Amino acid sequence: MTTPVAGPDHDQQSGPAPERRRGTGPRALLFAATALAACAAGVAGTVLYQRSTAPDTSAVDARAAEIAEALRGELATGFYSGRGSYGGQFTEGTLVAQVQAHGGVVLSADTDRNRTPDKTHTAEVMLGLMPPSEGTVSAAAYPVRCYRYTFGIGTYSVKQSGMTCPASRTDGKPGSLAAQMGMLLTQQPTGMRPYRPRSTQGYAHTPKGAMDFLKEERVIATEDAVSALSGQTADDGAYVLSLRIDNVCHYLRMDASPTATDLIPLWSAPADEQEACDVQQALTAATLHGVDPAKQG
């Protein structure tokens, strides 16, 4: 917005045009000083206006920082790592569980496999879909925001930055992405603590074995509908499946190893993989790390 700096006297000034253009002497200096002051006042006013009208994102930003710190704990290496809030083998399931625990969803997860010596993983997440369960948070302080995380193995590999949320839904339908993701959160399995560490040892690596695990371990409840079960054995011997639970795409990683008791076996697929819900995508996600970082380094 341009602030007018000329008063009525200047607007109505008469006389030969060359005299007005020349602008010399005390009057011209006064005019220049006035213009600079007015311009400065206009800029300052704009900045103050922006500051006073900018949304308060402190609450959701704090949750984003909590996710970064939790991931640092999960990815800490060595005997004295202290382990994270989940611990055990780190897969995409660990990441999804952390984000959902903070009221958000994973929009996408990618890996730069050409980077050496360590692979670099990138996850884009949307937060602000669900308010914190503890305390009272003003709605104005909890808008929907998106963040990008990059990480490898090791506490100091985790980096967090803000990003602009995508403008469109992942399925191409009209409407808000935030509304789509909010609905995804409400359609999660109704079983007891489905996104927590749980061993799949003793269950057959078959679609039937997967269903037995989900039901007998009460990962899903009787009212949850399961469909589109597709499984394949990964290179490390784990059996990985893609499936829909209440029409939300999930990945399931079954590991018969007794050392995998801290594995998060079931998690909802990232938003950009919900439509395809492909077992090949599940295989990639299940081997994000597939190891306990605390035992590395």
Side-chain angles (χ1 to χ4, degrees):
M1 175 176 165
T2 303
T3 304
V5 295
D9 291 342
H10 183 71
D11 288 340
Q12 298 173 10
Q13 184 178 350
S14 61
E19 289 293 324
R20 292 200 299 271
R21 285 197 299 267
R22 194 160 48 235
T24 58
R27 181 183 178 87
L29 293 175
L30 177 62
F31 175 84
T34 303
L36 289 172
C39 181
V43 171
T46 300
V47 171
L48 288 173
Y49 174 79
Q50 290 175 340
R51 287 179 178 174
S52 64
T53 58
D56 177 9
T57 64
S58 57
V60 70
D61 285 341
R63 300 204 101 185
E66 289 172 5
I67 291 176
E69 197 57 33
L71 291 178
R72 292 185 181 104
E74 302 283 2
L75 295 166
T77 59
F79 181 77
Y80 295 104
S81 66
R83 302 172 68 85
S85 57
Y86 291 117
Q89 297 191 46
F90 188 100
T91 68
E92 188 177 277
T94 316
L95 172 67
V96 170
Q98 284 286 7
V99 173
Q100 290 192 353
H102 287 82
V105 295
V106 176
L107 297 177
S108 66
D110 297 296
T111 300
D112 182 358
R113 300 187 181 278
N114 296 321
R115 180 175 174 136
T116 56
D118 299 318
K119 299 180 180 68
T120 297
H121 309 286
T122 301
E124 296 182 348
V125 309
M126 175 180 281
L127 298 178
L129 298 170
M130 294 178 63
S133 57
E134 68 281 354
T136 302
V137 177
S138 168
Y142 209 69
V144 172
R145 298 257 286 164
C146 293
Y147 305 84
R148 181 177 290 109
Y149 297 88
T150 61
F151 56 91
I153 286 185
T155 297
Y156 298 105
S157 71
V158 180
K159 308 297 180 186
Q160 172 204 330
S161 61
M163 59 170 280
T164 302
C165 290
S168 58
R169 289 170 56 113
T170 61
D171 55 11
K173 297 178 181 178
S176 163
L177 176 63
Q180 180 192 8
M181 295 298 98
M183 182 62 66
L184 185 149
L185 275 184
T186 65
Q187 293 176 324
Q188 300 305 324
T190 54
M192 190 167 63
R193 303 174 72 185
Y195 302 122
R196 298 297 295 183
R198 189 180 274 102
S199 174
T200 60
Q201 186 179 8
Y203 290 94
H205 286 187
T206 63
K208 181 183 183 305
M211 285 300 299
D212 289 343
F213 163 75
L214 292 172
K215 291 179 179 179
E216 292 175 12
E217 298 293 327
R218 294 189 294 173
V219 177
I220 61 173
T222 53
E223 62 267 26
D224 291 322
V226 179
S227 61
L229 230 67
S230 179
Q232 189 171 327
T233 302
D235 292 339
D236 61 0
Y239 187 61
V240 182
L241 302 98
S242 59
L243 63 154
R244 291 193 181 276
I245 303 176
D246 297 335
N247 207 35
V248 175
C249 179
H250 283 75
Y251 298 147
L252 174 63
R253 185 180 194 268
M254 302 181 70
D255 192 333
S257 170
T259 62
T261 55
D262 290 328
L263 178 72
I264 295 176
L266 179 77
W267 65 93
S268 55
D272 63 350
E273 299 176 14
Q274 282 288 323
E275 290 298 303
C277 201
D278 184 74
V279 70
Q280 293 299 324
Q281 295 173 328
L283 283 168
T284 301
T287 56
L288 181 61
H289 281 318
V291 297
D292 184 348
K295 297 177 180 177
Q296 308 298 302

